[in-house]
Amino acid sequence: MKKILFCLMILAGFAASNTCTDLVVNNNESFFTFANVHRDSSYFFVDSTAGSYKYFWSDGKLDSMRTDRMIEGLSSSVEYIYWDVDETALTGKNYEAIISQSKSGDTVIYTQKNFYVGELEDSITYKKIDGHIYSLSFAPGGPDWDELWDFSDFYLSNDTVFYKKTYDYYTDNPRYYTQFIVGDPENDLRCFEYEMDENEATVRDTIELSYTDKGFMFKYYRSTEDYYNFREYFFVYDEEETTAIRKHRPAVKISPKARYFDLLGRYRFSK
């Protein structure tokens, strides 16, 4: 595996900039994306759990996100997002988030606080400096656990996308995690995601980029004897906002049996 990885990195270093890695680094989960592009929706089938996310925008800002879990007994949920307000704007019902934007010199800083029934679940602060997107996340403690602080660094270097995360950031025993994405030297629209495990790189997902009538999409997939992962992320250009953002895509077709597996847990970037 090390020899294969070394060859891939050498080839990628001599190749022209890979479109897949360029778009991945500019359209990650944070607020720093290409101009005139909106995240529209995403669909997933992860280890027998399926579902989707739909993003809604108003005046160029994200205002809500709908989550649909294809599991018996679970209905869809909507998280409402408010910009540059204080916590008095919260209704105290279901999922809500407050996003604040500020500047420090030339650096734009975003802070997102996520709430459930009025209680803070976590808070994430993002800033972009010299091509690096840094984030610091916080989750308050409880009776059975301590507060959590995690720090991450996301950037593109020599056509390789790096994601480095430090768990338990403000403790004496931090834990480190690294992912990186390299382009396929034979296909400008494909790249490969790896993770470091005990100083050895192992492949996670294959990522494929394709263009749609409204914009473009990423497809992440992995298949082993006991695990299957499939994720799609759709982006649309602003010119199509009126029709594309609100358009409902047909639900993912899955086996009826898959609708009855236990929920894996609602995704939070900071946990």
Side-chain angles (χ1 to χ4, degrees):
M1 176 60 71
K2 290 183 178 179
K3 291 182 179 179
I4 294 174
L5 175 59
F6 180 77
C7 292
L8 281 174
M9 296 183 71
I10 291 296
L11 289 171
F14 285 101
S17 181
N18 181 276
T19 302
C20 178
T21 52
D22 285 345
L23 285 178
V24 165
V25 78
N26 281 286
N27 289 281
N28 61 85
E29 295 292 338
S30 78
F31 301 95
F32 303 99
T33 62
F34 279 133
N36 303 318
V37 175
H38 279 155
R39 184 184 304 273
D40 178 63
S41 55
S42 61
Y43 300 83
F44 61 87
F45 187 93
V46 181
D47 199 19
S48 302
T49 298
S52 66
Y53 299 101
K54 179 68 176 179
Y55 302 88
F56 298 98
W57 302 78
S58 177
D59 298 324
K61 292 185 176 181
L62 186 65
D63 65 26
S64 60
M65 180 185 74
R66 188 183 72 236
T67 301
D68 291 297
R69 297 282 187 175
M70 297 180 182
I71 299 174
E72 184 182 34
L74 288 183
S75 59
S76 62
S77 63
V78 177
E79 179 174 22
Y80 293 96
I81 299 167
Y82 317 112
W83 285 77
D84 296 314
V85 299
D86 59 35
E87 295 181 17
T88 60
L90 298 173
T91 67
K93 300 177 181 179
N94 299 317
Y95 293 102
E96 298 175 288
I98 295 176
I99 299 176
S100 302
Q101 180 178 341
S102 61
K103 291 191 69 175
S104 176
D106 295 330
T107 302
V108 178
I109 302 171
Y110 292 95
T111 298
Q112 177 174 339
K113 294 182 178 180
N114 300 301
F115 299 84
Y116 180 64
V117 294
E119 296 294 327
L120 178 68
E121 280 202 325
D122 54 30
S123 174
I124 312 170
T125 298
Y126 300 91
K127 63 175 64 176
K128 185 175 184 179
I129 303 174
D130 296 330
H132 290 247
I133 298 175
Y134 301 102
S135 68
L136 180 65
S137 62
F138 165 75
D144 299 319
W145 65 89
D146 296 326
E147 64 183 26
L148 300 175
W149 288 90
D150 300 330
F151 176 79
S152 68
D153 182 9
F154 188 85
Y155 61 97
L156 176 68
S157 177
N158 295 327
D159 201 36
T160 299
V161 180
F162 290 93
Y163 172 68
K164 299 179 179 181
K165 188 165 186 175
T166 304
Y167 294 94
D168 305 327
Y169 185 63
Y170 289 122
T171 70
D172 294 331
N173 298 295
R175 296 174 292 118
Y176 303 99
Y177 176 75
T178 299
Q179 287 183 2
F180 56 93
I181 300 172
V182 296
D184 183 345
E186 298 181 354
N187 187 340
D188 190 44
L189 303 181
R190 180 186 296 132
C191 43
F192 304 99
E193 182 182 68
Y194 293 83
E195 67 178 354
M196 296 301 296
D197 184 11
E198 296 183 355
N199 296 320
E200 185 167 345
T202 57
V203 66
R204 281 176 51 88
D205 293 336
T206 297
I207 307 171
E208 291 185 350
L209 165 70
S210 61
Y211 293 95
T212 67
D213 293 338
K214 307 298 183 181
F216 56 91
M217 64 163 288
F218 290 110
K219 179 172 67 175
Y220 289 66
Y221 59 92
R222 182 185 358 158
S223 180
T224 65
E225 291 183 357
D226 55 2
Y227 184 84
Y228 180 73
N229 169 44
F230 176 86
R231 291 174 288 155
E232 292 179 321
Y233 298 89
F234 288 83
F235 297 83
V236 297
Y237 300 117
D238 286 358
E239 295 78 23
E240 302 292 341
E241 177 180 354
T242 302
T243 56
I245 291 293
R246 300 290 176 174
K247 183 178 180 181
H248 291 271
R249 186 174 181 269
V252 179
K253 294 182 179 180
I254 61 173
S255 168
K257 292 182 179 180
R259 300 174 185 268
Y260 304 106
F261 283 87
D262 291 336
L263 184 64
L264 290 182
R266 184 172 182 273
Y267 175 76
R268 285 292 182 184
F269 176 74
S270 63
K271 295 183 179 180

